[in-house]
Amino acid sequence: MRRKRDRHTITEFDVFRADIRPCIGCNHCGMGGPCVQKDDYENKMKGSIRETDMIVFVMPVYYHNWPAQLKAVIDRFYSFTTELTYMHKKTVLLTAAWDDTDTVFSVVKAYYERICEYMEFYDCGAVYGDGCGTPSMTRGTKHPQAPYELGKSI
């Protein structure tokens, strides 16, 4: 979905409902060509990623990790890794978990930081919403305001 918002154009992809297949490691793309899979990633998302200034990853935490659907998108970056790396995209991570333990985001955070480093993305910040399992739980935390404040700071 593409929409105008204030001074920005936002393109939104619901990777949980999209047809995005995992990378099959065939190396047909050679890290810089078309992917053999003709799904929503190759036909819609890849072009939008090229055009955008910022990628915002928004996700729930599943068993202390990234959801498979979003991980599949990142794995498919392989088909244009070199090009994407030279673009130095800005990124933000917005994530929430039911759990509120100290370690709930350790794997999520480590992976995000590593992807930013490897892809030469510029990390503009993250919101780690612990204890946000339901809307009523979330309202009782400091987290509802945090994405707004992060957005204003960018």
Side-chain angles (χ1 to χ4, degrees):
M1 173 192 317
R2 197 170 178 87
R3 57 193 160 112
K4 218 39 174 158
R5 183 108 186 210
D6 298 320
R7 302 176 313 225
H8 307 286
T9 299
I10 299 168
T11 303
E12 189 177 314
F13 288 100
D14 183 350
V15 300
F16 296 93
R17 289 180 179 76
D19 174 24
I20 299 173
R21 296 176 213 138
C23 178
I24 58 174
C26 68
N27 204 35
H28 179 268
C29 64
M31 295 177 78
C35 180
V36 296
Q37 301 192 81
K38 303 305 176 208
D39 57 4
D40 289 342
Y41 178 82
E42 186 67 17
N43 295 328
K44 299 175 185 174
M45 189 178 286
K46 191 173 175 180
S48 290
I49 292 170
R50 277 188 174 107
E51 295 172 11
T52 191
D53 297 322
M54 177 178 278
I55 301 169
V56 180
F57 300 106
V58 181
M59 63 177 208
V61 170
Y62 288 170
Y63 290 92
H64 299 266
N65 212 335
W66 289 62
Q69 300 91 328
L70 189 51
K71 177 69 169 65
V73 168
I74 293 169
D75 289 348
R76 296 285 294 281
F77 286 174
Y78 183 80
S79 66
F80 69 129
T81 294
T82 305
E83 177 186 355
L84 190 55
T85 299
Y86 287 119
M87 292 179 178
H88 304 287
K89 299 286 183 184
K90 296 175 188 170
T91 60
V92 166
L93 173 63
L94 305 175
T95 185
W98 184 291
D99 198 341
D100 64 355
T101 61
D102 292 342
T103 59
V104 69
F105 294 111
S106 58
V107 172
V108 169
K109 184 177 181 180
Y111 184 69
Y112 175 65
E113 289 171 354
R114 182 65 187 120
I115 287 299
C116 287
E117 179 185 350
Y118 178 73
M119 297 300 297
E120 297 184 22
F121 291 159
Y122 176 71
D123 174 19
C124 294
V127 174
Y128 298 97
D130 59 330
C132 294
T134 65
S136 61
M137 286 172 69
T138 304
R139 277 190 293 277
T141 70
K142 63 181 181 213
H143 304 302
Q145 189 67 15
Y148 175 76
E149 295 300 328
L150 177 58
K152 279 183 15 180
S153 74
I154 298 174

